[in-house]
Amino acid sequence: MTPSIVNIGRWTVGTGSPLLWIAGPCVIESREFTLRVADVLRRTADELAIPLVFKASFDKANRTSGKSFRGVGMEEGLKILAAVKDATGLPVTTDLHETAQAVPVAEVCDILQIPAFLARQTDLIVAAGQTGRIVNVKKGQFMAPWDMKNVVSKLAEVGNRQVLLTERGTTFGYGTLVNDMRAIPWMQETGAPVIFDATHSVQTPGALGDRTGGDRKMVPYLARAAVAAGCNGVFIETHPDPDRAPSDGPNMIPLDDLPALIQTCLRIRAALPEPVT
């Protein structure tokens, strides 16, 4: 299938386009915190001349324990994401989990993100697609890369071809994920640009009993490998102090470490033969 180009504000992602970065904390903790992180990311994007989308979730609906912090909720979360757009000029994205969330999220966010656990939820995918916004669908940990062609088809059936697909690991036994970098070119065969989620790929689901564990020191290895494999963008969750983060702390990289990782990945990208598909 002919590779598609997805337009995100003044940027494009896809064949021959710059490497896209989607970055931010796992969850919206507060307005002040979110704006502070977004400002750092905006300055990083300006300094490195990279396209960057700010990401944070208003609700972590799939936490291991019902007692875990889930976020500030949709109404407050969307207000905060709108404030991020106004203050930084960055495009923004967030997760949605229910069909009723699609329209209000689309009123604020440039990209609607479908979590991996919901990648086969047809009604949710259709509702997101009908908003006309870009839809980023994360491949389910239980799905083969070639099965994502059906996700792309569902969105095409409602007239939406502004689609991103994200690779974020595959379940391997209990509590472990592995990455097959062949998933990147396989999913690109759908025509959609492919993003690599370097932080969720290092999760160990449920490994801490009532929380998900992970190994953040593996993030740079996987990010570099994915860029070498030709991904069109990289998804990174980051936090000023991951060990104190209320969600996904073991997988997020420190905010101060992000620029060096981006620069390394850009050097790898520059060494690849053109065009990058």
Side-chain angles (χ1 to χ4, degrees):
M1 185 176 292
T2 302
S4 62
I5 298 293
V6 173
N7 300 293
I8 306 173
R10 62 189 179 95
W11 299 101
T12 62
V13 57
T15 302
S17 298
L19 192 65
L20 177 70
W21 295 84
I22 301 176
C26 178
V27 66
I28 296 173
E29 298 177 27
S30 69
R31 182 186 179 92
E32 186 277 332
F33 166 81
T34 305
L35 286 168
R36 176 161 51 91
V37 173
D39 183 64
V40 173
L41 291 172
R42 190 267 308 164
R43 286 188 275 115
T44 298
D46 288 347
E47 290 167 4
L48 299 179
I50 58 169
L52 188 144
V53 176
F54 180 82
K55 179 271 168 185
S57 299
F58 59 76
D59 180 20
K60 302 302 295 184
N62 58 358
R63 295 304 305 271
T64 304
S65 169
K67 297 178 181 179
S68 297
F69 178 72
R70 288 181 50 166
V72 298
M74 184 177 71
E75 183 176 355
E76 179 63 18
L78 291 178
K79 289 179 182 177
I80 293 170
L81 289 170
V84 167
K85 288 184 71 169
D86 290 342
T88 67
L90 293 173
V92 299
T93 185
T94 196
D95 298 306
L96 62 153
H97 301 89
E98 302 173 6
T99 56
Q101 295 174 341
V103 171
V105 171
E107 290 174 353
V108 173
C109 294
D110 302 87
I111 303 173
L112 277 59
Q113 183 167 284
I114 307 296
F117 285 123
L118 300 176
R120 288 177 58 112
Q121 292 294 100
T122 300
D123 289 348
L124 182 61
I125 291 168
V126 167
Q130 288 173 332
T131 67
R133 289 293 197 183
I134 299 164
V135 182
N136 178 24
V137 185
K138 292 194 167 186
K139 178 180 72 64
Q141 303 93 324
F142 44 87
M143 293 175 68
W146 44 85
D147 290 336
M148 294 300 283
K149 68 180 184 295
N150 298 311
V151 172
V152 174
S153 294
K154 289 175 184 179
L155 288 162
E157 287 165 5
V158 295
N160 193 324
R161 299 186 182 277
Q162 291 281 92
V163 182
L164 304 175
L165 300 179
T166 294
E167 160 62 16
R168 51 92 72 233
T170 299
T171 300
F172 185 74
Y174 295 119
T176 304
L177 300 174
V178 296
N179 288 102
D180 180 353
M181 293 301 168
R182 296 177 299 173
I184 293 169
W186 275 333
M187 288 200 291
Q188 286 170 334
E189 290 177 359
T190 67
V194 173
I195 311 301
F196 180 76
D197 183 342
T199 44
H200 286 100
S201 289
V202 304
Q203 283 184 333
T204 50
L208 301 181
D210 62 349
R211 291 170 291 136
T212 288
D215 187 0
R216 75 171 68 98
K217 70 177 181 289
M218 292 291 111
V219 169
Y221 295 98
L222 292 179
R224 296 194 298 258
V227 173
C231 68
N232 303 105
V234 180
F235 178 107
I236 294 273
E237 288 189 337
T238 184
H239 192 283
D241 188 358
D243 289 332
R244 294 181 179 273
S247 176
D248 251 5
N251 311 297
M252 288 192 283
I253 68 167
L255 193 56
D256 289 344
D257 293 349
L258 184 59
L261 176 57
I262 292 175
Q263 289 174 310
T264 299
C265 288
L266 292 179
R267 289 195 293 271
I268 294 170
R269 176 66 179 271
L272 296 180
E274 292 291 343
V276 175
T277 57

